[in-house]
Amino acid sequence: ETGVTQSPTHLIKTRGQQVTLRCSSQSGHNTVSWYQQALGQGPQFIFQYYREEENGRGNFPPRFSGLQFPNYSSELNVNALELDDSALYLCASSFSLSDYYGYTFGSGTRLTVV
Amino acid sequence: GQQVMQIPQYQHVQEGEDFTTYCNSSTTLSNIQWYKQRPGGHPVFLIQLVKSGEVKKQKRLTFQFGEAKKNSSLHITATQTTDVGTYFCAGYSGTYKYIFGTGTRLKVLA
């Protein structure tokens, strides 16, 4: 059983650029959630995908968008990067919407915007 | 909007001492989950509580869900250096999925 894998591990971008982060969910999981974690803070919910459809969104602007593919992997896209977007981006997968066994998190992508 | 606060923000304990972190939500929660994040790591799921007043134990860890389903606690008995990390509660309100708390960072001094 493979866990959740995210790529890249680290990324440095310039303000105004666009970035795509990738996530492969754990085998058997069809729900993917994305979180933003600023240094010293708790993870903030961005959005969730279930069977390729967005299934809920947190308080993030439209320049944060995502996709889920038929194999349940997912992408997070951020346009017009701002300095405050610098954070650890975490992808978490779960078995369907029934999350009794909790979310399995990937190791994250550390994004630095300069 | 919904907020989930945790206290204390930081806790330093001597190895062998007990530790408790408290989680309080501004709204009633359907359920609550607890995660542990080691320094430089990612959150790892510990447990989920669903019922009002529920108590669950995992070895030295005891989790409680309040009667009103707006608060929860995690108690660690006889801490060990392996318990170091940040403990997050995450409450499910049904609208924005899981709202993570502010976290309690535990340091265990050997």
Side-chain angles (χ1 to χ4, degrees), chain A residues 37 55 57 99 101 103 106, chain B residues 35 37 42 45 96-98:
Chain A
Q37 187 175 27
N55 185 49
R57 189 179 182 92
D99 45 25
Y101 297 103
Y103 288 170
Chain B
Y35 290 81
Q37 186 171 19
H42 57 276
F45 175 75
Y96 294 114
K97 306 307 171 183
Y98 281 93

Side-chain angles (χ1 to χ4, degrees), chain A residues 35 37 40-45 48 55-59 88 90 97 99-108, chain B residues 9 31 33 35 37 40-45 47-48 50 56 88 92 95-103 105:
Chain A
Y35 285 83
Q37 187 175 27
Q41 304 293 318
Q44 300 293 311
F45 175 70
Q48 182 184 76
N55 185 49
R57 189 179 182 92
N59 190 27
L88 179 67
L90 294 163
L97 297 174
D99 45 25
Y100 180 79
Y101 297 103
Y103 288 170
T104 301
F105 280 85
S107 298
Chain B
Q9 190 175 1
N31 61 57
Q33 296 181 345
Y35 290 81
Q37 186 171 19
H42 57 276
V44 174
F45 175 75
I47 209 160
Q48 174 166 288
V50 178
K56 286 189 177 180
F88 291 102
Y92 183 77
T95 304
Y96 294 114
K97 306 307 171 183
Y98 281 93
I99 307 299
F100 276 72
T102 46
R105 184 176 298 176

